[in-house]
Amino acid sequence: MKLSLAEENYLKAVYHLSAEGETEVSTNAIAEEMQTKAASVSDMMRRLSEKELVHYKKYQGVRISNDGARAALQVVRKHRLWEVFLVEKLKFSWDQVHEIAEQLEHIKSPLLIKRLDEFLGHPKYDPHGDPIPDENGEFKEKPQIPLSSTNLNDDGIVVAVKDTSPVFLQHLDRIGIYLGAKIKTIEKTEFDGSMEILIDQKNKLFISKEVAQNVLVTN
Amino acid sequence: MKLSLAEENYLKAVYHLSAEGETEVSTNAIAEEMQTKAASVSDMMRRLSEKELVHYKKYQGVRISNDGARAALQVVRKHRLWEVFLVEKLKFSWDQVHEIAEQLEHIKSPLLIKRLDEFLGHPKYDPHGDPIPDENGEFKEKPQIPLSSTNLNDDGIVVAVKDTSPVFLQHLDRIGIYLGAKIKTIEKTEFDGSMEILIDQKNKLFISKEVAQNVLVTN
DNA sequence: TTTAATTTTTAGTTTAATCTAAATTTAGTT
DNA sequence: AACTAAATTTAGATTAAACTAAAAATTAAA
């Protein structure tokens, strides 16, 4: 099935929204995610549902179909592989790659993606710690919990970030938190949810609740 | 100036056609090059001329403007850099890269192209021997003449091909002609324009007039 | 130099994707 | 249960890019 750029983007939005919450996704939520209007979403959902990429009942929200999820995962795969390429090979920082990958993810050539994957050494995670689906759409998420819900004296490794916006990523760079950093929780403040942590057994750091909630670690 | 995909493609077509012949390009020639209809071309030329990217007088054909040439050259630069990437890094053969580069050339990110250029070591020529314009649109074509018009016992190096179609490139691969090959002309047949040549001082080969006209060498 | 053939343009449709405004459905609250 | 507020869909317009068919301009030929 050949999808237009707009169709791919809507499908991706539906996929992402259903991945992180309910299976039924609301028209408004999609409009918000896509920076567009609800009317446009309704229209597109009607069309995607004709192509059986989503299940759609008027006024009831949409649910992604198997075919739809498969297509969305291929776009996600391409997006994340390109992000790895940009960071590993072209020396971009992790806060710069999303926009460019948004464009590159729509390039249509299965062979290109196969070769790119080989060239990069079959990476399993992108620069933000998100898993890269394989050719069949399979992937394994690393077990990850927000730094904010670790216990005192817990040791953990930063495996991903929840918020991938440039401002947040740049903030992490500035304070010295990066993917793979070893983190020990030294103190948690009840009052405002802020924490004191130790990075790589060297640097003590105070971080806000907001930061702690958006940094994901394994233990 | 932000150009749509269609605008970039038309501009490129005008640029290529004026590069290899007259400065005035006909509506029909563009339609042919773009696999579209003359009516669509007229429409687009009107729009491109409003943006001052081409000079256009009804019924008189179009001429690319300075701004237009600048824009076209940036697209050409991107196309050829991506071709180098595909061949050098992703191990594509020279007959496979055009279609994919047609898509990649429209990715919009000056920084991406800067980094890609660095990553590739600032290549001057693409896998077909065509010159890659720099950031300012400057480039130097290698002096090149068709193999068919070399003299007997002339030595030359293959620097480019005139025809870049997959069938022709695959044929060259099959008979053992490649970019950089050292070629000596052994014999020229008046009757049909075919030639006998020696490749890399080792392999004797008979080639047709058609092949000889489309292989370009320096001497 | 008039006519015929060719090329090019215009006019009018079509499709995908968007929008605004109006109508409709669902959900929440007395 | 009725009403209001919010969410969603429909209707109607708009824009970019294409097309076909018809009109107009240019070029070539008699």
Side-chain angles (χ1 to χ4, degrees):
Chain A
M1 173 117 42
K2 211 172 56 197
L3 299 183
S4 74
L5 204 146
E7 286 171 330
E8 283 192 349
N9 282 332
Y10 274 99
L11 212 52
K12 199 167 45 119
V14 175
Y15 176 80
H16 278 138
L17 289 170
S18 34
E20 59 169 57
E22 308 314 305
T23 47
E24 298 286 318
V25 179
S26 82
T27 302
N28 257 358
I30 299 169
E32 161 79 9
E33 171 99 355
M34 305 267 310
Q35 302 276 67
T36 180
K37 294 300 155 68
S40 312
V41 175
S42 287
D43 222 54
M44 183 56 94
M45 289 310 118
R46 189 179 44 67
R47 273 148 49 207
L48 288 181
S49 115
E50 271 166 23
K51 297 195 173 185
E52 316 231 15
L53 296 167
V54 298
H55 301 293
Y56 176 51
K57 289 225 187 69
K58 283 187 198 173
Y59 296 100
Q60 307 301 152
V62 290
R63 193 159 45 82
I64 197 136
S65 74
N66 288 347
D67 283 2
R70 186 140 28 85
L73 278 164
Q74 284 317 304
V75 179
V76 169
R77 168 170 167 75
K78 290 193 277 181
H79 182 105
R80 293 181 179 165
L81 282 174
W82 281 117
E83 285 196 342
V84 173
F85 169 71
L86 294 172
V87 168
E88 299 275 305
K89 303 295 181 179
L90 298 197
K91 308 301 173 200
F92 280 89
S93 55
W94 65 349
D95 58 291
Q96 297 179 301
V97 296
H98 182 75
E99 275 181 81
I100 302 176
E102 285 285 299
Q103 297 181 62
L104 287 164
E105 72 188 6
H106 299 292
I107 302 292
K108 273 150 187 83
S109 168
L111 184 54
L112 171 61
I113 295 308
K114 185 166 176 289
R115 292 284 169 84
L116 181 63
D117 184 43
E118 284 165 16
F119 180 58
L120 299 173
H122 308 288
K124 296 276 173 295
Y125 300 94
D126 79 11
H128 313 106
D130 295 314
I132 300 174
D134 67 18
E135 319 78 53
N136 309 310
E138 316 273 356
F139 63 92
K140 207 168 63 248
E141 193 112 31
K142 280 186 188 158
Q144 45 191 225
I145 55 173
L147 185 48
S148 53
S149 41
T150 55
N151 296 315
L152 219 58
N153 292 318
D154 270 5
D155 261 321
I157 291 170
V158 179
V159 288
V161 289
K162 197 174 227 162
D163 180 351
T164 59
S165 67
V167 275
F168 181 60
L169 297 174
Q170 282 158 22
H171 178 63
L172 293 186
D173 283 345
R174 199 158 45 238
I175 64 181
I177 293 181
Y178 58 93
L179 232 55
K182 201 164 291 177
I183 289 191
K184 185 197 248 342
T185 303
I186 299 177
E187 181 146 9
K188 298 177 74 171
T189 310
E190 285 302 317
F191 167 60
D192 61 358
S194 68
M195 306 175 72
E196 192 180 7
I197 61 176
L198 186 68
I199 299 180
D200 294 332
Q201 288 140 9
K202 289 196 298 285
N203 310 316
K204 269 193 198 166
L205 196 65
F206 280 99
I207 60 174
S208 70
K209 180 175 66 176
E210 285 70 25
V211 168
Q213 288 172 334
N214 281 294
V215 170
L216 305 172
V217 299
T218 40
N219 45 13
Chain B
M1 173 116 40
K2 210 171 56 197
L3 298 184
S4 74
L5 204 148
E7 287 171 328
E8 283 193 350
N9 281 333
Y10 274 99
L11 212 51
K12 200 167 47 119
V14 174
Y15 176 79
H16 278 138
L17 289 170
S18 34
E20 59 170 59
E22 307 314 305
T23 48
E24 298 286 318
V25 179
S26 84
T27 302
N28 258 358
I30 298 169
E32 161 79 10
E33 172 98 356
M34 305 268 309
Q35 302 276 65
T36 181
K37 294 300 156 65
S40 312
V41 176
S42 286
D43 223 53
M44 183 55 94
M45 289 310 117
R46 190 179 43 67
R47 274 150 49 209
L48 288 181
S49 114
E50 272 166 21
K51 297 192 173 188
E52 316 231 14
L53 296 167
V54 297
H55 300 293
Y56 175 51
K57 288 225 188 68
K58 285 186 199 174
Y59 295 100
Q60 307 302 150
V62 290
R63 193 159 44 82
I64 197 136
S65 74
N66 287 347
D67 283 0
R70 185 140 27 86
L73 277 164
Q74 284 316 304
V75 179
V76 169
R77 168 171 168 76
K78 290 193 276 183
H79 183 105
R80 293 181 180 165
L81 281 173
W82 281 117
E83 284 195 343
V84 172
F85 168 70
L86 294 172
V87 168
E88 299 274 306
K89 303 295 182 180
L90 298 198
K91 308 303 173 199
F92 280 88
S93 55
W94 64 351
D95 59 292
Q96 297 178 302
V97 296
H98 183 74
E99 275 181 81
I100 301 176
E102 286 284 299
Q103 297 181 61
L104 287 164
E105 72 188 6
H106 300 291
I107 302 292
K108 273 150 187 87
S109 167
L111 183 54
L112 171 62
I113 294 308
K114 185 166 174 289
R115 292 283 169 84
L116 181 63
D117 184 43
E118 284 165 16
F119 180 58
L120 299 173
H122 307 288
K124 296 276 174 295
Y125 299 94
D126 79 11
H128 312 106
D130 295 314
I132 300 173
D134 67 18
E135 319 79 54
N136 308 310
E138 317 273 356
F139 63 92
K140 206 167 66 249
E141 193 110 32
K142 280 186 188 158
Q144 45 191 224
I145 55 172
L147 184 49
S148 53
S149 41
T150 55
N151 296 315
L152 219 58
N153 292 318
D154 271 4
D155 260 322
I157 291 170
V158 178
V159 289
V161 289
K162 197 175 228 162
D163 180 352
T164 60
S165 68
V167 275
F168 181 60
L169 297 174
Q170 282 158 21
H171 178 63
L172 293 186
D173 283 346
R174 199 158 46 241
I175 64 181
I177 293 181
Y178 58 93
L179 233 55
K182 201 164 292 177
I183 289 190
K184 184 196 247 344
T185 304
I186 300 177
E187 181 147 9
K188 297 176 76 171
T189 311
E190 286 300 319
F191 166 60
D192 61 359
S194 68
M195 305 174 72
E196 192 179 6
I197 60 176
L198 185 69
I199 299 179
D200 294 334
Q201 287 140 10
K202 289 196 298 285
N203 310 316
K204 268 194 200 166
L205 196 66
F206 280 100
I207 61 174
S208 70
K209 179 175 69 176
E210 285 71 26
V211 168
Q213 288 172 333
N214 281 294
V215 171
L216 304 171
V217 299
T218 38
N219 45 13

